[in-house]
């Protein structure tokens, strides 16, 4: 069922996603990554592969020296775990990243994967090959071209559409390691080659989106309680299994927040629950306004869905539809202009990367899915000789989230954006402006930081403390966020939460 749902997404729609998602900050991720590595040489060549037709793909090789032992990692990039494996002097070790359609510029997957590879080059001394996929027909030729390089030890495929190609090519090259981001390649192996499951040279990396969504769901409902709004909202894209995790996590987080407030402020709870304009007065199933738009590319649908939610009294709308966040932002901007607001409420909530900079003061936070860390950790496992051990122990599927550990070592990939994250993405924008000559940031960096800081400080500290408390409870296992994986699961939780 899952694979059929994935196949239902048209190539043209996905291509549109990546084109629209060129918010330039994704490009900035690239420039920041290379800038952080010191002296970086980029060599571009062309590889031509033939399947049923000739496919030409661009391969960019980034060569970065191993860092000096006295060099401290930049505070704006992923810190290196300890101990840090490094490539011996004089030895060439490469990793290859095969993009999904669109290549650099999408921010949520491709750019973050390249960012992780660049940071692995900086910290471990590996070299990076980039294979840009223009169409789905490029997947297998690109994966094969990467595996053919004798110095490549790891090939990374970015995006669930590469699942079939990864399974096929991993079988063809048993002496090379393959990683898929958000893929289900091992499920394909299990279905078609059960005697080889789990394939020892193949690893699917997934994320705990439900937990991150629970955190921003709690944040949204606590804001609704404090500012006296009746609803929170959520705009989703195409209904596929991975989005169920966002949906149910967000709703569950809202419900957790309601119960938390009742426990900590019982008198205020009784008072506010009698106010028809407050979210506390509504039945559990009516608090969260949500809709699947059926698209990841039609920004107008995002605008229309969000506008309707704000008109009904949503204090914040969670973007779970990629570029449709631009439509959500448009709806917020209209309200802000009409009311002369300099900051929210209303707000919206970013997704995948730190989007707080897009409209400072109105993006209250972002649910960050760190694809870059997935690539970084995979490289580390290969260099430490632990890749096959991880495949065996975790049946070929590695999950990164909140408090997640791999072979006893903390390896996380989900978080809510902070001011420190904002600094990192602003710096990326600055580097992009220097190198491209194009305007990236909506206003000067200091002004962005000041507006976001002012907004965050205007929100009562107990709200942020409550979100931190939930994160800690998730981290130590005190609470379990629902993880819907089947239609039956999501049906059950919709009956409970709406």
């Amino acid at each position: 069922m899952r694979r059929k749902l994935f196949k239902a997404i048209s190539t043209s729609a996905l291509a549109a996603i990546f084109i629209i998602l060129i918010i330039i900050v994704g490009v900035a991720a690239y420039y920041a990554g290379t800038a952080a590595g010191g002296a970086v040489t980029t060599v571009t060549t062309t590889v031509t592969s033939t399947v049923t037709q000739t496919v030409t793909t661009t391969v960019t090789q980034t060569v970065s020296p191993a860092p000096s032992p006295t060099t401290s990692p930049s505070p704006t990039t992923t810190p290196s775990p300890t101990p840090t494996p490094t490539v011996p002097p004089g030895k060439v070790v490469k990793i290859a990243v095969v993009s999904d359609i669109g290549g650099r510029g999408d921010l949520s997957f491709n750019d973050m994967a390249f960012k992780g590879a660049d940071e692995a080059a900086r910290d471990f001394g590996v070299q990076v090959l980039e294979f840009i996929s223009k169409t789905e027909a490029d997947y297998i030729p690109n994966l094969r071209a990467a595996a053919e390089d004798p110095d490549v030890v790891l090939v990374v495929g970015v995006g669930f559409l590469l699942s079939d190609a990864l399974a096929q090519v991993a079988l063809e090259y048993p002496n090379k390691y393959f990683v898929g981001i958000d893929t289900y390649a091992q499920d394909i192996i299990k279905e078609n080659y059960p005697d080889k499951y789990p394939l020892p040279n193949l690893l699917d990396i997934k994320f705990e989106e439900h937990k991150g969504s629970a955190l921003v769901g709690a944040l949204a409902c606590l804001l609704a309680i404090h500012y006296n709004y009746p609803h929170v909202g959520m705009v989703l894209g195409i209904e596929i299994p991975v989005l169920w995790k966002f949906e149910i996590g967000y709703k569950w987080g809202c419900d957790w927040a309601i119960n938390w407030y009742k426990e900590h402020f019982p008198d205020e709870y009784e008072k506010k629950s009698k106010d028809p304009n407050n979210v506390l007065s509504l039945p559990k199933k009516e608090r969260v306004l949500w809709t699947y738009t059926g698209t990841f590319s039609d920004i107008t649908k995002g605008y229309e869905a969000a506008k309707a939610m704000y008109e009904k009294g949503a204090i914040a709308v969670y973007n779970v539809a990629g570029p449709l966040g631009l439509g959500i932002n448009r709806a917020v901007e209209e309200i802000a202009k009409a009311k002369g607001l300099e900051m929210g409420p209303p707000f919206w909530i970013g997704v995948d990367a730190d989007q707080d900079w897009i409209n400072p003061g109105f993006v209250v936070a972002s649910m960050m899915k760190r694809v870059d860390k997935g690539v970084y950790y995979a490289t580390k496992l290969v260099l430490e000789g632990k890749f096959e051990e991880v495949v065996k122990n975790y049946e070929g599927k590695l999950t990164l989230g909140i408090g997640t550990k791999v072979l006893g070592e903390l390896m996380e990939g989900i978080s809510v954006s902070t001011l420190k994250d904002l600094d990192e993405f602003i710096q990326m924008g600055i580097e992009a402006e220097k190198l491209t000559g194009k305007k990236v940031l909506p206003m000067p960096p200091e002004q962005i930081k000041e507006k976001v800081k002012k907004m965050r400080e205007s929100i009562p500290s107990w709200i942020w403390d409550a979100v931190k408390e939930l994160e800690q409870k998730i981290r130590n296992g005190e609470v379990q966020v629902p993880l819907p994986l089947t239609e039956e699961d999501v049906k059950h939780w919709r009956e409970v939460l709406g």
Side-chain angles (χ1 to χ4, degrees):
M1 179 275 294
R2 181 181 183 184
R3 293 178 58 192
K4 290 180 180 178
L5 283 168
F6 289 158
K7 293 295 185 180
I9 305 176
S10 69
T11 300
S12 59
L14 284 168
I17 297 170
F18 298 123
I19 292 171
I20 296 171
L21 271 175
I22 300 176
I23 309 175
I24 303 179
V25 168
V27 178
Y30 165 66
Y31 291 120
T34 54
V40 178
T41 302
T42 301
V43 181
T44 302
T45 58
T46 300
V47 175
T48 302
S49 303
T50 303
V51 187
T52 57
Q53 58 180 347
T54 299
V55 180
T56 302
T57 55
T58 301
V59 183
T60 303
Q61 177 173 312
T62 303
V63 183
S64 177
S68 165
T70 60
T71 301
S72 300
S74 168
T76 63
T77 52
T78 305
S80 304
T82 303
T84 300
T86 56
V87 176
K91 184 177 181 179
V92 176
V93 175
K94 302 175 183 177
I95 64 172
V97 178
V98 177
S99 80
D100 203 340
I101 299 167
R104 285 192 180 273
D106 72 344
L107 184 60
S108 64
F109 284 107
N110 290 316
D111 285 333
M112 295 296 278
F114 291 133
K115 178 177 181 291
D118 290 340
E119 291 174 357
R122 176 202 68 199
D123 290 350
F124 305 147
V126 298
Q127 297 178 10
V128 179
L129 300 180
E130 298 180 5
F131 293 79
I132 306 302
S133 303
K134 302 298 183 182
T135 69
E136 289 186 38
D138 293 343
Y139 296 159
I140 289 179
N142 280 346
L143 291 169
R144 285 175 175 160
E148 284 289 340
D149 189 310
D151 296 321
V152 167
V153 296
L154 173 66
V155 180
V156 180
V158 187
F160 64 81
L161 283 183
L162 277 82
S163 298
D164 286 292
L166 273 169
Q168 179 178 332
V169 180
L171 284 167
E172 296 173 2
Y173 295 87
N175 296 323
K176 297 296 174 81
Y177 293 119
F178 294 83
V179 161
I181 302 296
D182 266 6
T183 51
Y184 56 102
Q186 284 285 12
D187 288 341
I188 295 171
I189 297 296
K190 185 176 183 179
E191 179 180 347
N192 297 304
Y193 308 95
D195 58 318
K196 297 184 178 181
Y197 173 81
L199 203 62
N201 65 325
L202 176 63
L203 185 64
D204 293 312
I205 294 182
K206 303 176 185 298
F207 296 83
E208 293 183 334
E209 298 95 342
H210 58 304
K211 294 182 179 180
S213 296
L215 295 178
V216 293
L219 172 61
C221 267
L222 291 171
L223 290 170
I225 293 171
H226 175 70
Y227 289 103
N228 238 40
Y229 278 71
H231 297 289
V232 299
M234 173 170 44
V235 173
L236 303 106
I238 298 170
E239 187 170 350
I240 53 177
V242 67
L243 263 63
W244 291 340
K245 294 195 288 182
F246 289 87
E247 175 200 335
I248 301 303
Y250 187 70
K251 294 174 180 176
W252 182 92
C254 176
D255 188 57
W256 181 91
I258 300 294
N259 293 323
W260 181 92
Y261 189 83
K262 182 178 182 179
E263 178 183 348
H264 289 78
F265 301 99
D267 294 339
E268 286 297 310
Y269 177 88
E270 288 300 322
K271 178 181 177 181
K272 289 178 178 290
S273 62
K274 297 175 182 178
D275 184 341
N277 293 318
N278 195 287
V279 67
L280 294 178
S281 69
L282 297 181
K284 181 185 299 187
K285 294 183 180 181
E286 296 179 14
R287 296 165 182 161
V288 181
L289 305 175
W290 58 283
T291 184
Y292 281 92
T293 59
T295 178
F296 286 111
S297 60
D298 192 338
I299 293 176
T300 299
K301 286 190 175 181
Y303 162 74
E304 292 171 347
K307 183 178 181 180
M309 292 177 185
Y310 288 123
E311 288 176 347
K312 291 180 180 178
I315 189 172
V317 174
Y318 183 24
N319 172 31
V320 192
L324 271 64
L326 298 177
I328 299 172
N329 186 57
R330 177 184 160 195
V332 171
E333 287 181 326
E334 287 184 356
I335 297 171
K337 183 178 180 180
K339 296 184 176 181
L341 302 176
E342 293 187 359
M343 69 174 68
F347 302 103
W348 64 281
I349 299 169
V351 73
D352 289 339
D354 188 340
Q355 298 182 326
D356 302 7
W357 62 272
I358 294 177
N359 191 353
F362 292 94
V363 185
V364 69
S366 297
M367 197 288 282
M368 300 179 66
K369 178 177 174 178
R370 300 305 296 262
V371 171
D372 55 332
K373 291 189 177 183
V375 177
Y376 187 91
Y377 292 147
T379 305
K380 182 175 185 290
L381 292 173
V382 169
L383 296 177
E384 290 179 337
K386 297 179 180 179
F387 190 94
E388 292 187 31
E389 181 182 359
V390 167
V391 171
K392 180 180 179 181
N393 287 3
Y394 300 94
E395 297 185 331
K397 301 172 186 177
L398 187 61
T399 301
L400 303 179
I402 297 174
T404 47
K405 293 184 178 181
V406 179
L407 301 180
E409 181 178 344
L410 190 66
M411 291 188 181
E412 299 183 291
I414 292 291
S415 62
V416 175
S417 60
T418 66
L419 288 174
K420 182 179 179 180
D421 298 316
L422 181 64
D423 285 338
E424 177 181 351
F425 279 79
I426 287 177
Q427 185 60 40
M428 290 178 183
I430 293 172
E431 295 300 325
E433 290 182 337
K434 289 179 181 177
L435 295 170
T436 66
K438 296 180 179 179
K439 184 175 177 58
V440 174
L441 304 177
M443 59 189 68
E446 291 305 316
Q447 190 175 347
I448 291 176
K449 289 189 287 186
E450 182 59 32
K451 289 196 71 172
V452 174
K453 184 172 183 289
K454 185 177 180 181
M455 173 205 68
R456 285 180 173 252
E457 290 178 346
S458 72
I459 295 171
S461 60
W462 61 264
I463 291 180
W464 298 111
D465 291 342
V467 175
K468 278 292 184 183
E469 180 180 327
L470 175 57
E471 179 184 346
Q472 187 58 42
K473 288 179 179 295
I474 292 173
R475 187 178 298 278
N476 61 27
E478 282 187 59
V479 298
Q480 298 295 324
V481 182
L483 175 58
L485 298 176
T486 67
E487 291 181 351
E488 290 73 21
D489 291 341
V490 76
K491 180 180 179 181
H492 165 74
W493 284 107
R494 284 173 180 170
E495 290 174 350
V496 174
L497 301 171

